[in-house]
Amino acid sequence: MHCIFCKIVSGEVPGHVLLRNEHVCAFRDVNPVAPSHVLIVPNKHLASIEAISAAEADIAGALLLAVKDIAHLEGISESGYRVIVNTGEDGHQEVQHLHIHVLGGAPMQHQLG
Ligand code: AMP
């Protein structure tokens, strides 16, 4: 198992973990680009959104619900935040384990891209 996010999920590699449950784990991005920058990953190794099957709708739902939980924990629910899921080569996905970026704590650039 060479996946860095699998290792953070299992505890083999330390991460600043904020939330864990049956389906997902959330930890701080090691290279934050916003005052609050958290990654939410499925505990199960899924390479990207493309790897989610209909049978894993519970995981997909847990990922989205964790976004809301993280926003509350980070105190950015009211001020707002941006959610990004880079996917594949054109999406500049660097880590091949599905992850949701939650970015907040300051106004984001108005435009995407
Ligand atoms: P991307 O695959 O481009 O959506 O982004 C991968 C993100 O993972 C980057 O923002 C990295 O800073 C972050 N990252 C890579 N390794 C670690 C790690 N060991 N702990 C926390 N974040 C990481």
Side-chain angles (χ1 to χ4, degrees):
M1 186 177 78
H2 299 296
C3 173
I4 184 69
F5 288 175
C6 281
K7 289 180 178 173
I8 292 174
V9 168
S10 71
E12 189 182 338
V13 164
H16 189 144
V17 175
L18 301 172
L19 176 156
R20 276 182 197 281
N21 64 32
E22 179 192 355
H23 292 302
V24 305
C25 178
F27 49 89
R28 294 206 185 282
D29 195 294
V30 76
N31 187 22
V33 297
S36 172
H37 187 172
V38 177
L39 301 176
I40 304 170
V41 308
N43 295 337
K44 177 178 181 176
H45 182 86
L46 295 169
S48 77
I49 282 183
E50 292 296 311
I52 303 178
S53 70
E56 289 159 334
D58 51 351
I59 297 176
L63 285 164
L64 204 52
L65 288 170
V67 170
K68 193 176 77 168
D69 292 341
I70 285 299
H72 279 270
L73 279 173
E74 290 288 275
I76 57 175
S77 300
E78 302 239 329
S79 50
Y81 50 92
R82 179 167 285 168
V83 174
I84 297 173
V85 186
N86 295 327
T87 305
E89 196 176 338
D90 283 357
H92 298 290
Q93 181 181 358
E94 287 171 11
V95 177
Q96 305 307 311
H97 182 133
L98 171 60
H99 51 282
I100 298 179
H101 295 258
V102 182
L103 300 152
M108 299 292 114
Q109 266 190 323
H110 184 60
Q111 292 183 320
L112 294 176

